[in-house]
Amino acid sequence: ALFRDLHERVVRITVHAGETEPVRNVWQAAYELSADRVGHGLTLVDDDALRARFRERRIAVELCPSSNFQIVGAGSAGPGYRDHRLDVGRAAYPLRTYLDEGMRVTVNTDDPGLSRTTLTEEFFKAADMTPPDAPLTWWDVLQLLAHGYRAAFCPEEDRKRLLDVAEKTVIDRLIQEIGA
């Protein structure tokens, strides 16, 4: 009922769910609250069918490495992780799974003041929290950035224009590197 007014005004929303809560809360965010994006969504990794539905509906999942680590120790359990090694129970940070499955996943800061981080630092932390046998590549980083543009809460023409500028910048830089 609290979201009804937002839905009637066609306001796009992010719902934080699945950082410390069971995957059922992620389902509620998507189906009962009609979230366009889900903040965190760590437990989404526990439900194959729901991940497929997120992919089909292009619901973005915002992973926030610093916050995820600070709150639940995500990406820290098990051998082979290069950083953040507290043993608190999650076997693997789900970023690689979400990318490999073609989900619209982004890397975000969550609360940069509280986490004392920047978006650049979050990308480094995401790389650290990804298994070394399947590390983040430059292509993965570019894909994460593109997902961020596509999931932005601004008019579609602005999203497209911003993504076009970003893609042109990357292409120009690649051409410059190849020609150098």
Side-chain angles (χ1 to χ4, degrees):
L2 295 173
F3 281 77
R4 183 170 289 123
D5 183 52
L6 295 173
H7 294 314
E8 288 174 357
R9 291 187 289 139
V10 194
V11 173
R12 297 180 72 193
I13 60 170
T14 297
V15 176
H16 284 224
E19 187 172 32
T20 58
E21 308 88 12
V23 71
R24 171 92 175 129
N25 291 47
V26 179
W27 181 91
Q28 288 174 326
Y31 284 96
E32 292 180 7
L33 303 178
S34 297
D36 298 285
R37 298 191 310 218
V38 169
H40 305 299
L42 297 177
T43 57
L44 182 57
V45 76
D46 299 334
D47 189 325
D48 297 343
L50 187 56
R51 284 196 317 279
R53 189 67 171 153
F54 264 61
R55 188 174 49 253
E56 291 166 9
R57 291 181 60 197
R58 294 188 175 123
I59 299 171
V61 177
E62 306 169 352
L63 292 182
C64 308
S66 291
S67 175
N68 298 154
F69 178 72
Q70 291 164 346
I71 302 299
V72 296
S76 61
Y81 292 90
R82 297 184 294 267
D83 200 0
H84 321 293
R85 296 180 184 242
L86 295 178
D87 184 12
V88 295
R90 291 227 51 100
Y93 199 57
L95 177 59
R96 170 53 56 207
T97 299
Y98 296 169
L99 277 171
D100 290 349
E101 291 182 358
M103 291 180 58
R104 186 172 282 180
V105 61
T106 65
V107 171
N108 298 72
T109 59
D110 195 25
D111 186 338
L114 186 61
S115 296
R116 303 181 135 208
T117 191
T118 65
L119 187 56
T120 300
E121 290 169 352
E122 291 301 277
F123 272 93
F124 280 113
K125 192 162 286 193
D128 286 343
M129 293 165 70
T130 303
D133 62 339
L136 286 184
T137 65
W138 284 109
W139 180 251
D140 293 328
V141 171
L142 292 173
Q143 195 171 23
L144 288 163
L145 291 168
H147 289 170
Y149 283 106
R150 289 184 181 107
F153 286 172
C154 61
E156 183 176 352
E157 59 274 1
D158 292 342
R159 284 194 313 271
K160 182 173 177 6
R161 181 181 49 77
L162 291 168
L163 184 56
D164 287 348
V165 169
E167 288 175 346
K168 183 181 181 330
T169 301
V170 169
I171 291 168
D172 289 348
R173 179 62 190 251
L174 287 171
I175 291 170
Q176 184 181 35
E177 290 293 319
I178 291 170

